[in-house]
Amino acid sequence: MKSRDYWKERMSALNEENYRKSAAYYEDVRKQYQKAIRDMERDILVWYERIADNNGISLANAKKLLKADELEEFHWTVQDYIEAGEANAVSGQWMKQLENASAKYHISRLEAMRIQLQQQAELIAAQFEQSLEEFLGELYEEQSYHIAYEIAAGTGIGRSFERINPRTIEQVLAKPWAQDGKVFSERIWTNRDKLVQNLHTILSQGIVRGTAPQRMIADLSHSMEVSRSQAANLILTETAAISARATQDTYKELDVEEFEVLETLDSRTCSLCADMDGKHFPQKDYQIGVTVPPFHPRCRGTTVPYFDDEFTEGEMRAARDENDKGYELVPADLTYRDWEERFVRERKTGLQGTNPSDKIKTKEKILQKHQMSKLQEVMPEDDFNTYFQLLLDNTTSDIDRLYAKFTDECNQFILTADRGSYAVADDVVKFHFESEASIDEGLNKFDVLGHECGHMFDTHIGRKLNANFTEIDAINSIGKTESNAMKLLKETPSSSDEFLAALREDARILREKMKTEEWDEIKQDLLNSPASKGVQDFLDGFYSTQNDKGKYFLPWGHGDRYYNRKYNNWIKGFGFENKLKQIYIELGFDASNQTKVKRLYRIYETASEAWANCASAETVGGMELEYVKKYMTKTYNTFIKLIGSVEQ
C-alpha cells in the first residue's frame, strides 16, 4: 500500500493534466470569440461605409442616417441567416425570430444590424455547447480509467473495469451538480442571453446618440470579452466538476470507502479551500461543492483515496468472488497501458494515458532549475518560472529531459528583439518573446524559444539515440571522395532514416488531400490560426506553398531561397549534381532529372525545421501541439520516439 504522500502526488499530477486539457480546449473557444469580434467590427464598418457610399455623404455623417429610413436588404439576407442557423443548430427561439423577420417586406437598418450582431452570439453559443459536451464527455471517460489505474497501481490490486457506456456519459452530463440546479448547457445559454442584451443595448444607444463607429466597436468588443471570460470560468469549473463526478463513480465502483480533499496551496488559494484541505469524509458524504471541489468557480482542488490503518502493505480487502469481477494482485511496476489491456473490458482505442508513477516522481529531480542556469540568466524571473512550469507539467514525453541535459551544454542564450536563430558554429540560441498581438492570435509567448532550442537539441543529440542514418551516410560519402569538400549534412536525429520516412509519409498524405475538395477545408483550418505555422512551414518545405500564388498558397514558411540553399551552395557549388543523382537512384528514389534531385535534397532542411517545430509544439502545448499532431502525425510520433531513446 502506498503512502498518503504518494496518493497526493499522483492525484495532483492527474488534476494538473486535466487543467492543461481544459486550457488547451479554451484556446479553441477563445479563437471563436476573437473571430466574432473581428466579424462584428467588419460588419459595423461595412454598414457605415455602405450608407455613406449610397447617399453620397461623408463617413462621419453616415451615422445620422442610421437613425431613420428603411432598407430592403443588408449584408446577409434574412434567409441566409436562417440557413446558417439551421446548419449550426442554434436555438429554436432565435430561429423563430429570423422567420418572423423574413416575413417583413422592409426591415429597419437598426434591426438589420441587430440581426447581424446577434447571429455572432448565437453561433458562438451553439458551437460552444456542442464542443464542450464532447470535451466533458471525453474527460469523464478518461478520468474514470485513470483513477482506476492509479488505485490499482497504488494498492497493488486490480479488478475488471467495464468500458464506460456512452449513454452513461450522457446521463452524467444531464445531471446538475451545483445547488442552482443548472447544467452546463443552461449556463451557456444564460450567458448568451446576457451577451445578446448587451449587444442590442450598445447598438441601439450608439445609433441614437450618434456614437462614432470605433467607439461602438470598442464597446461591443468589451462586451464580447466579458462573455469570453465567463466562458473561461465555465470551462475550468465544469472540467473540475465532471472530473469530480468521474472520481466519485470510480470510487464507488472500486469500493473506496473514504476520500480526502486535496487543495492547491499557494497565494491564490482562498480561505475556504485552505480550510478544507486534508479533511476526509466517508463515500456517502461525497457532494460536489460541499465536501468535494470545486467549491467555487475556477477551483483547483481535487480528492484522493483515503485508506485507514486497517489497509496496510501486504493486505488485501475482501475480494469479490471470481464470478463477480474478482480482484487480483498487480505488479509494482504496472504501467497504464498494461493495466488498460488487462482490466478494461472492450478497451477503447486511442485512450490517452498518463505516465507511470516512476516518471512523475523523478521529473522534478531531473528538471532542476540550476540545470537550466544559462537560460535562467537571460530570462525575466516570472517568464523563466512560467517556462519551467510548462516543462514540469509535460507528463507525456521526454522533452523535459532534453532541457535538463542540453541547455547548459549550449554555449550561450541571448534574448533579443530580432528574429530568433540558432548558430551551429557558435552554439548560440537567440530568441524573442511573441508579441501580445501574436499571443491573442493563438501563438504561445515562448514559441520561438522552444523552436530554437529544438534546433540546438538536434545538434547536441547527434547520434546519441536509437536511429539509423543510411541515407545521410550515403550522401555524405560524396564529400569524402573530394579532397576539398565538406561533409554535406550533419549527423542529427532530424536527418535519421526514421524521421525522414515519417516526414515523407505525412507529406504524401497531405499531397493526396490537396487533390481533393478536402484540401479547401484543411487550408482554411490552417489559415484560421498562426498556431498552425509549423504545419504550414512543413508544407512549404515540400511543396513551396509559401511562394506558390496558386492553389496551394499559404502565408507561413521559410521560402524556396532558404530550403534550396544547401543544394545551391554545396551540391551545385562543388559540382556534385550527378553523384547525388546516382546516390538517390541507388536509394530507390525517383531522381530522373535535376529538378527532382533538388526537390529530394531540400527535405533535409525541411526536416530540420520540422524537428524544431515538433520541439516547440511539445514544449508549449496548446493549439500549436494540436495542429502538429493533426497534420504531422507520423512525424510527431517519431519525434517523441526518438527523443525517448536519447542516451541518459
Side-chain angles (χ1 to χ4, degrees):
M1 177 63 163
K2 302 293 186 180
S3 68
R4 195 161 294 168
D5 286 342
Y6 168 86
W7 294 113
K8 292 181 178 180
E9 179 184 14
R10 296 303 304 127
M11 296 306 179
S12 180
L14 187 55
N15 195 45
E16 285 295 321
E17 180 65 18
N18 288 340
Y19 183 87
R20 287 192 66 190
K21 290 177 181 176
S22 66
Y25 166 67
Y26 167 66
E27 280 298 305
D28 286 336
V29 176
R30 186 181 65 84
K31 287 199 310 179
Q32 293 174 13
Y33 272 91
Q34 287 180 324
K35 182 179 183 302
I37 291 173
R38 290 195 297 269
D39 290 345
M40 287 181 180
E41 178 178 358
R42 177 203 64 206
D43 290 342
I44 293 282
L45 293 176
V46 166
W47 267 107
Y48 277 102
E49 291 172 356
R50 179 177 295 179
I51 293 169
D53 292 341
N54 291 343
N55 293 275
I57 61 175
S58 67
L59 187 60
N61 292 324
K63 61 182 179 287
K64 297 177 183 178
L65 290 177
L66 292 173
K67 299 177 185 179
D69 296 336
E70 297 288 316
L71 185 72
E72 293 185 26
E73 62 177 350
F74 47 99
H75 186 58
W76 270 10
T77 67
V78 176
Q79 188 59 38
D80 288 331
Y81 284 111
I82 292 175
E83 293 174 0
E86 291 173 344
N88 291 275
V90 300
S91 68
Q93 184 180 3
W94 173 235
M95 292 299 298
K96 187 66 175 177
Q97 292 181 43
L98 289 175
E99 291 168 1
N100 291 337
S102 72
K104 299 179 181 179
Y105 181 74
H106 291 286
I107 185 169
S108 70
R109 290 186 173 90
L110 177 59
E111 186 175 355
M113 292 182 69
R114 283 175 176 171
I115 289 176
Q116 281 186 248
L117 297 185
Q118 183 168 345
Q119 181 72 3
Q120 300 294 341
E122 297 288 341
L123 289 178
I124 282 179
Q127 294 167 358
F128 188 20
E129 180 183 25
Q130 181 179 0
S131 64
L132 185 57
E133 182 177 9
E134 294 174 356
F135 173 76
L136 293 177
E138 292 173 359
L139 185 71
Y140 176 88
E141 188 171 12
E142 292 178 5
Q143 178 79 356
S144 300
Y145 294 147
H146 287 313
I147 291 291
Y149 160 67
E150 296 296 350
I151 291 176
T155 62
I157 58 176
R159 50 158 289 197
S160 298
F161 197 83
E162 293 282 355
R163 184 179 68 86
I164 297 173
N165 192 304
R167 179 59 182 161
T168 300
I169 298 175
E170 292 177 5
Q171 293 172 345
V172 170
L173 295 178
K175 184 178 180 180
W177 61 267
Q179 294 182 355
D180 62 5
K182 291 184 177 180
V183 296
F184 73 91
S185 58
E186 293 176 287
R187 300 184 194 281
I188 289 174
W189 292 105
T190 298
N191 292 342
R192 183 281 314 265
D193 292 341
K194 294 178 182 177
L195 175 60
V196 169
Q197 184 178 356
N198 287 338
L199 295 180
H200 285 184
T201 299
I202 292 169
L203 183 61
S204 300
Q205 292 180 350
I207 291 176
V208 171
R209 296 171 181 173
T211 304
Q214 292 300 337
R215 177 61 191 174
M216 193 183 302
I217 289 169
D219 291 342
L220 290 168
S221 296
H222 175 72
S223 185
M224 290 291 288
E225 283 299 314
V226 171
S227 180
R228 180 195 58 75
S229 178
Q230 292 170 339
N233 285 338
L234 182 62
I235 290 170
L236 294 173
T237 306
E238 292 293 332
T239 295
I242 202 69
S243 175
R245 285 291 304 275
T247 302
Q248 178 185 20
D249 294 343
T250 308
Y251 283 174
K252 285 182 179 179
E253 180 74 11
L254 299 179
D255 300 326
V256 176
E257 297 175 358
E258 293 186 69
F259 64 91
E260 180 180 347
V261 178
L262 176 65
E263 288 287 351
T264 302
L265 300 179
D266 55 27
S267 59
R268 294 184 292 161
T269 307
C270 69
S271 58
L272 171 62
C273 292
D275 290 341
M276 291 297 295
D277 183 62
K279 292 186 176 181
H280 60 93
F281 303 90
Q283 174 67 28
K284 65 180 180 65
D285 291 339
Y286 198 107
Q287 185 175 353
I288 300 173
V290 179
T291 60
V292 176
F295 298 118
H296 53 79
R298 292 183 180 248
C299 185
R300 297 173 293 154
T302 186
T303 65
V304 301
Y306 182 87
F307 300 108
D308 57 30
D309 293 335
E310 296 177 5
F311 195 19
T312 57
E313 188 170 359
E315 287 186 341
M316 291 181 61
R317 291 179 179 234
R320 300 180 183 183
D321 61 40
E322 195 171 354
N323 295 324
D324 188 19
K325 310 172 191 175
Y327 292 98
E328 65 176 91
L329 294 173
V330 298
D333 60 349
L334 180 75
T335 67
Y336 179 85
R337 294 299 182 190
D338 291 339
W339 172 86
E340 186 185 29
E341 188 73 38
R342 185 182 305 183
F343 293 107
V344 178
R345 297 179 177 180
E346 300 179 23
R347 174 175 172 249
K348 180 183 175 183
T349 59
L351 186 65
Q352 296 296 313
T354 353
N355 280 3
S357 59
D358 59 339
K359 182 175 181 179
I360 300 296
K361 286 191 288 187
T362 59
K363 179 176 288 290
E364 191 102 42
K365 183 178 179 181
I366 290 175
L367 191 62
Q368 294 295 329
K369 293 184 182 182
H370 72 269
Q371 293 179 287
M372 301 170 62
S373 57
K374 291 183 180 179
L375 183 57
Q376 186 177 11
E377 289 171 359
V378 302
M379 292 179 70
E381 183 178 0
D382 289 347
D383 288 324
F384 178 81
N385 289 337
T386 300
Y387 198 68
F388 178 79
Q389 194 62 45
L390 280 175
L391 300 173
L392 195 62
D393 289 344
N394 190 315
T395 60
T396 60
S397 79
D398 293 284
I399 193 71
D400 55 302
R401 193 158 57 85
L402 297 190
Y403 279 89
K405 186 176 182 66
F406 296 117
T407 48
D408 278 355
E409 288 187 10
C410 181
N411 188 43
Q412 188 180 9
F413 288 87
I414 299 175
L415 179 59
T416 177
D418 299 328
R419 294 181 61 182
S421 65
Y422 173 65
V424 176
D426 299 324
D427 196 19
V428 173
V429 170
K430 292 184 179 180
F431 68 97
H432 63 264
F433 297 139
E434 293 287 359
S435 66
E436 290 297 327
S438 296
I439 295 171
D440 288 340
E441 289 294 318
L443 289 178
N444 188 281
K445 181 177 183 176
F446 307 106
D447 169 79
V448 175
L449 175 57
H451 181 92
E452 302 305 337
C453 281
H455 282 308
M456 183 266 290
F457 296 151
D458 199 20
T459 297
H460 279 253
I461 291 172
R463 294 199 175 191
K464 302 174 183 176
L465 74 173
N466 184 23
N468 299 293
F469 293 85
T470 305
E471 184 173 334
I472 203 78
D473 287 342
I475 296 174
N476 272 333
S477 69
I478 298 174
K480 295 176 183 178
T481 65
E482 303 291 333
S483 59
N484 296 320
M486 61 187 295
K487 274 194 174 183
L488 304 182
L489 294 169
K490 300 190 182 308
E491 299 175 347
T492 57
S494 65
S495 295
S496 64
D497 296 342
E498 291 83 353
F499 195 74
L500 295 176
L503 207 68
R504 287 179 172 124
E505 180 61 14
D506 282 332
R508 184 195 65 78
I509 293 171
L510 287 171
R511 183 66 171 183
E512 289 301 311
K513 292 180 178 180
M514 285 180 178
K515 303 174 183 177
T516 69
E517 294 181 355
E518 187 179 355
W519 171 245
D520 290 334
E521 297 180 6
I522 295 173
K523 181 179 174 181
Q524 190 56 53
D525 185 29
L526 296 175
L527 292 172
N528 281 339
S529 174
S532 71
K533 66 178 185 178
V535 178
Q536 294 187 46
D537 193 26
F538 160 74
L539 286 167
D540 185 38
F542 271 98
Y543 304 120
S544 299
T545 51
Q546 200 252 339
N547 295 325
D548 185 354
K549 301 298 181 181
K551 184 178 179 181
Y552 307 132
F553 175 74
L554 293 169
W556 288 91
H558 281 73
D560 286 344
R561 183 176 179 182
Y562 179 88
Y563 282 120
N564 292 331
R565 60 180 182 170
K566 287 185 178 179
Y567 179 89
N568 293 332
N569 293 338
W570 297 346
I571 300 299
K572 292 184 67 175
F574 288 103
F576 294 158
E577 297 102 316
N578 290 330
K579 290 184 179 181
L580 182 62
K581 178 180 179 179
Q582 186 59 39
I583 285 176
Y584 276 134
I585 292 173
E586 292 174 358
L587 289 169
F589 294 105
D590 180 6
S592 53
N593 57 59
Q594 286 302 322
T595 300
K596 292 181 179 180
V597 172
K598 186 176 184 177
R599 183 62 64 179
L600 284 166
Y601 193 81
R602 66 187 279 163
I603 190 178
Y604 310 114
E605 200 77 78
T606 304
S608 174
E609 293 302 324
W611 176 276
N613 287 328
C614 284
S616 176
E618 188 64 15
T619 300
V620 304
M623 288 303 301
E624 185 175 345
L625 181 58
E626 293 303 312
Y627 273 114
V628 168
K629 285 183 175 181
K630 185 176 182 180
Y631 295 112
M632 300 169 60
T633 308
K634 296 183 181 298
T635 303
Y636 170 77
N637 290 338
T638 303
F639 170 82
I640 295 299
K641 180 181 179 181
L642 289 175
I643 67 173
S645 71
V646 175
E647 297 172 0
Q648 299 285 343

